């Protein structure tokens, strides 16, 4: 199979390319620079220079059987217009071109589309059919991912075959966000605990998301289906902190922080960030509070039943290894 992949230098995109190359697919990877092009060649993919918001980048899909669209702005401290161009317009081009050339599309979305408050619901209670909730106007990432899905659905109505994957928080080898940031904070020996620390966290390994993407490509039934990819092994906040502690080789003191105080603090910091950087994405600290508290409402029953997606990740070991690596390069 010939597969056109975007976001191949990213946390999720790189294991997707590795998985496709490993099984003998011919992979063309859209990249933004020479260093990225070299990396793609090392992985066994054919690089193509371009950006997702540039229509010309997509002409190469003419030769492809499928597109895996993983590129996105995730936590960039930038304006809405940039989120719109990359995440919404980029996905619109992915979807229209895939339809035009008869290629299958796998779109990497996010559980952020539901609205951040979904994370407060009971474990396993949220399915792909659950309704969307309100989005904060400054939540550029979630807004753009919700609009991006709408772009895919528009093309599906016109004949595109597409699968949408909705991962929860992702970490792994190419992590630029979660593990590096938490390692940097935990290095000071102090972390908050919000709630009991016993709830399962909404976290998934990047290789598990890649596994779902490849399975979606191979599963005819996955056409025009949405899958939450959100359960590949249990991890509580206490286990996460233990993994950070092991990886850093130091004791971490945990300070209980009542949930209302954590949310109050998150709102204040976000308000300050909006003042010091008007128009820039302030990130989602309330989302971070929910993540750190724990609780995973997202069920992966559909992905398990229809894609046979059942990865089991030893999260604590994985996190310890990644933190150790971060610490040695800090
Ligand atoms: N990380 C998470 O926790 C998470 C959770 C749920 C869903 N997702 C989704 O998973 C997908 C991949 O995210 P990730 O975590 O792998 O992000 P990432 O590590 O930040 O990688 C983003 C990728 O997108 C590329 N990219 C950004 N802007 C581009 C542009 N204008 N044109 C072409 N390529 C561009 C980047 O290329 P450069 O190397 O050139 O910057 C990089 O390859 C995204 O759709 C994201 O919404 C992520």
């Amino acid at each position: 199979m010939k597969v056109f992949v975007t976001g191949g230098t990213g946390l999720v995109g790189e294991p997707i390319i590795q998985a496709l190359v490993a099984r003998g697919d011919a992979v063309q990877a859209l990249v933004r620079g020479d260093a990225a092009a070299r990396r793609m060649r090392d992985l066994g993919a054919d690089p193509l220079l371009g950006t997702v918001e540039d229509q010309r980048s997509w002409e190469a899909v003419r030769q492809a059987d499928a597109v895996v669209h993983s590129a996105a702005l995730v936590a960039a401290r930038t304006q809405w217009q940039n989120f719109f161009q990359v995440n919404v317009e980029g996905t619109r081009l992915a979807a229209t071109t895939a339809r035009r050339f008869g290629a299958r599309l796998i779109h990497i979305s996010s559980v952020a589309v539901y609205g951040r408050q979904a994370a407060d619901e009971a474990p396993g209670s949220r399915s792909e059919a659950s309704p969307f909730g309100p989005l904060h106007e400054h939540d550029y990432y979630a807004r753009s991912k919700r609009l991006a899905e709408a772009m895919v659905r528009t093309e599906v109505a016109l004949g595109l075959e597409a699968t949408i994957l909705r991962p929860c928080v992702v970490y792994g080898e190419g992590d630029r966000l979660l593990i590096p940031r938490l390692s940097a904070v935990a290095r000071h020996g102090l972390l908050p605990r919000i709630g009991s620390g016993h709830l399962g966290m909404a976290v998934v390994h990047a290789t598990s998301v890649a596994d779902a993407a490849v399975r979606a490509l191979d599963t005819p039934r996955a056409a025009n289906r949405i899958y939450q990819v959100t359960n590949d092994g249990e991890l509580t906040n206490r286990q996460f902190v233990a993994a950070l502690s092991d990886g850093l080789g130091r004791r971490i003191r945990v300070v209980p922080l009542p949930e209302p105080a954590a949310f109050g603090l998150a709102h204040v910091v976000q308000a300050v960030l909006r003042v010091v950087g008007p128009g820039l994405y302030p990130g989602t600290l309330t989302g971070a509070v929910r993540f750190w508290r724990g609780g995973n409402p997202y069920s992966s029953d559909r992905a398990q039943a229809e894609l046979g997606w059942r990865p089991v990740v030893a999260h604590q070991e994985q996190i310890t290894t990644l933190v150790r690596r971060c610490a040695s390069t800090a």
Side-chain angles (χ1 to χ4, degrees), residues 7 9-12 32 52-53 70 108-109 141 145 168 170 176:
T9 54
L11 168 62
V12 173
R32 294 200 287 179
V52 292
E53 62 273 33
S70 185
I108 311 295
S109 185
Y141 174 69
K145 295 301 281 186
C168 51
V170 186
R176 308 179 197 182

Side-chain angles (χ1 to χ4, degrees), residues 75-318:
R77 189 147 165 74
T78 187
Q79 292 158 350
W80 163 248
Q81 191 53 28
N82 294 329
F83 274 90
F84 185 86
Q85 279 303 316
V86 178
N87 294 4
V88 185
E89 180 62 7
T91 303
R92 188 186 69 77
L93 289 172
T96 52
T97 329
R99 179 176 62 80
R100 187 152 57 95
F101 296 132
R104 179 101 175 246
L105 174 67
I106 311 297
H107 170 62
I108 311 295
S109 185
S110 165
V111 296
V113 296
Y114 293 115
R116 305 290 178 181
Q117 283 157 18
D120 297 338
E121 293 169 11
S125 62
R126 185 154 271 263
S127 79
E128 292 79 355
S130 300
F132 289 173
L135 286 182
H136 197 284
E137 63 168 312
H138 297 285
D139 196 342
Y140 296 170
Y141 174 69
R143 270 172 66 198
S144 66
K145 295 301 281 186
R146 194 183 275 187
L147 283 171
E149 283 198 6
M151 297 296 151
V152 176
R153 271 192 285 272
T154 300
E155 293 302 317
V156 164
L158 298 171
L160 170 71
E161 280 197 1
T163 303
I164 292 176
L165 301 180
R166 291 180 183 156
C168 51
V169 172
V170 186
Y171 78 98
E173 293 289 328
D175 199 348
R176 308 179 197 182
L177 282 175
L178 183 68
I179 302 296
R181 285 189 185 176
L182 275 172
S183 300
V185 175
R187 203 166 290 139
H188 302 292
L190 204 66
L191 279 175
R193 169 157 299 136
I194 305 160
S196 71
H198 288 299
L199 289 173
M201 297 178 80
V203 72
V204 67
H205 198 275
T207 55
S208 305
V209 182
D211 180 40
V214 173
R215 284 171 185 275
L217 277 177
D218 288 347
T219 309
R221 185 182 178 186
N224 308 338
R225 296 288 277 168
I226 299 173
Y227 297 99
Q228 293 176 166
V229 285
T230 47
N231 308 84
D232 61 352
E234 276 291 303
L235 180 76
T236 66
N237 179 266
R238 285 171 189 263
Q239 289 168 329
F240 205 133
V241 173
L244 282 163
S245 172
D246 286 349
L248 291 168
R250 67 161 299 165
R251 188 173 163 264
I252 295 173
R253 233 159 48 85
V254 171
V255 183
L257 185 60
E259 201 171 314
F263 278 116
L265 203 60
H267 283 298
V268 169
V269 175
Q270 276 186 198
V272 171
L273 285 170
R274 289 203 296 273
V275 171
V276 297
L280 303 181
Y281 179 44
T284 174
L285 282 170
T286 49
V289 167
R290 290 187 162 95
F291 172 72
W292 196 240
R293 173 201 61 198
N296 184 359
Y298 313 105
S299 146
S300 297
D301 289 355
R302 186 189 281 179
Q304 288 168 355
E306 296 183 12
L307 302 179
W309 182 79
R310 286 188 195 84
V312 179
V313 173
H315 287 300
Q316 217 172 317
E317 280 170 37
Q318 289 286 331

